[in-house]
Amino acid sequence: MADVAARVGVSRQLVSLVLGGRPGPSASAREQILRAAEEIGYRADTAARLLRRTRSRQVGVLFTLEHPLDAHVVEAVYPVAAELDYSVVLSAMLPTRTERESVDDLLGLRCEALILIGMSAAAPTDLAKVAELVPVVEIGQRTGAPGTDSVRTADARGVRQAVDHLVSLGHGDIAHVDGGDLPGARERLRGYREGMAAHGLSGRVDVLPGDYTEESGARAARTLLTRVRPPTAVVACNDLCALGLAGTLVRAGTSVPDDMSVVGYDDSRTARLPFLRLTSVRQDAARMARLAVRSVAERLDDGRTGSRHLVLEPVLTVRSSTGPPPRR
């Protein structure tokens, strides 16, 4: 800042005001200082700035690298955080890195709150302890940890919409590729069972093990292809699983949707791929991100102390991966 001040011929305090984005300096002074900073390649020392602050105004975001929805949510967090004068610090969950290690990294970087995307359902005890230190918002599920907030989609209702859609097309043999213990998977399985029961199809419930990966969908497809009478439709636990399922079916000579209809979940960019055109249950990633960041601000800036759990309505987006069942 001293170099910028000397170049323009103003005080260092004035440079500090301009580069800090604070009011006071005239428009012409601001323009001169910003131009000089650009010319000499000035970059703010973020670490030093944080040390001088009483508050860091940083929000830590924990996410996975495997699920498309996580990336959509992270992308949407940034502009909302900026509007509320917060910065974002990311920490990724990896097979070689525990969830607790990822959380501890964010706390060590002075994050004032945590937004957790894809946290396992087995972590409510740890979350309760973390929530005693900083506000915690879960996206995509509600583990029930005391003191936390959550923003999620009504997953059971979403899968019921998928089952309703398939039944309306004439399907009765509808399978489901389960997501195991992953976020939202239990609710999606419940929605599938309830949807089948609502149409008098409880005796045809057909659940295959899986997870939120393409490989799990491919495994499910290979299992179905060995059957003498496979189902005419499948509801996958997410879009990546549906992609692996549909791709394996097509490569084996089974047409989607003429021989078997496929439905995904999330309505991610994967679902909109032109060669897939996947019917999928939409989760509003942008709205979930916006509500999560605002929940953080309500805790930190407005003093809210009680937990709040928001549930958004899902919407089925119909594309060309579903159609009437084939004639047996």
Side-chain angles (χ1 to χ4, degrees):
M1 285 193 292
D3 293 337
V4 174
R7 188 180 185 91
V8 181
V10 296
S11 69
R12 181 169 173 170
Q13 289 77 11
L14 184 61
V15 173
S16 177
L17 289 174
V18 170
L19 298 180
R22 294 187 291 275
S26 67
S28 61
R30 191 179 300 276
E31 182 181 353
Q32 286 181 309
I33 290 169
L34 291 175
R35 187 189 307 118
E38 182 66 26
E39 289 172 353
I40 68 172
Y42 171 83
R43 295 292 181 272
D45 187 336
T46 304
R49 183 185 297 172
L50 288 174
L51 288 173
R52 291 195 299 269
R53 285 183 178 178
T54 304
R55 290 184 55 189
S56 71
R57 299 197 71 82
Q58 291 191 145
V59 177
V61 178
L62 181 65
F63 70 107
T64 67
L65 297 172
E66 296 181 352
H67 310 145
L69 184 70
D70 289 18
H72 299 342
V73 174
V74 169
E75 184 179 342
V77 162
Y78 274 94
V80 183
E83 287 175 11
L84 298 174
D85 193 28
Y86 282 92
S87 56
V88 178
V89 181
L90 301 180
S91 184
M93 286 185 287
L94 303 170
T96 56
R97 203 161 174 247
T98 67
E99 291 170 340
R100 189 56 205 237
E101 287 173 336
S102 302
V103 168
D104 287 345
D105 283 350
L106 293 172
L107 295 177
L109 291 169
R110 294 186 63 202
C111 290
E112 294 187 317
L114 300 182
I115 294 176
L116 309 179
I117 314 168
M119 193 83 166
S120 75
T125 302
D126 283 344
L127 281 190
K129 293 178 181 177
V130 174
E132 294 175 359
L133 304 173
V134 297
V136 173
V137 184
E138 298 177 80
I139 290 184
Q141 69 173 4
R142 177 184 175 183
T143 60
T148 61
D149 293 343
S150 66
V151 181
R152 61 188 176 89
T153 302
D155 291 305
R157 288 203 288 274
V159 174
R160 284 199 60 171
Q161 289 180 20
V163 173
D164 291 345
H165 167 65
L166 292 170
V167 171
S168 72
L169 293 173
H171 294 275
D173 295 318
I174 304 169
H176 175 59
V177 183
D178 181 31
D181 290 328
L182 292 170
R186 293 177 183 175
E187 285 296 294
R188 294 173 198 181
L189 175 60
R190 180 170 69 84
Y192 165 72
R193 293 186 182 278
E194 290 177 351
M196 295 291 280
H199 292 285
L201 299 172
S202 294
R204 299 198 213 178
V205 165
D206 183 4
V207 179
L208 294 90
D211 55 42
Y212 291 169
T213 64
E214 290 180 60
E215 179 53 37
S216 75
R219 285 196 303 269
R222 289 192 291 268
T223 297
L224 295 177
L225 289 168
T226 64
R227 296 183 181 178
V228 175
R229 186 184 174 91
T232 61
V234 182
V235 179
C237 54
N238 83 335
D239 289 347
L240 275 184
C241 178
L243 174 61
L245 177 77
T248 303
L249 291 174
V250 170
R251 285 191 293 273
T254 299
S255 173
V256 175
D258 294 339
D259 298 321
M260 189 179 297
S261 290
V262 177
V263 179
Y265 200 103
D266 288 339
D267 197 20
S268 63
R269 293 189 183 106
T270 299
R272 299 191 289 274
L273 292 171
F275 64 85
L276 184 60
R277 299 291 300 160
L278 181 68
T279 295
S280 184
V281 179
R282 182 172 187 265
Q283 296 201 80
D284 193 335
R287 190 177 177 204
M288 287 195 289
R290 184 166 58 252
L291 292 173
V293 175
R294 287 180 176 172
S295 289
V296 165
E298 288 173 5
R299 291 268 196 174
L300 294 174
D301 300 334
D302 301 337
R304 176 171 61 84
T305 56
S307 293
R308 189 173 69 174
H309 301 285
L310 303 174
V311 183
L312 308 185
E313 283 297 318
V315 177
L316 183 69
T317 303
V318 178
R319 297 189 180 90
S320 58
S321 70
T322 52
R327 293 184 178 183
R328 300 290 192 182

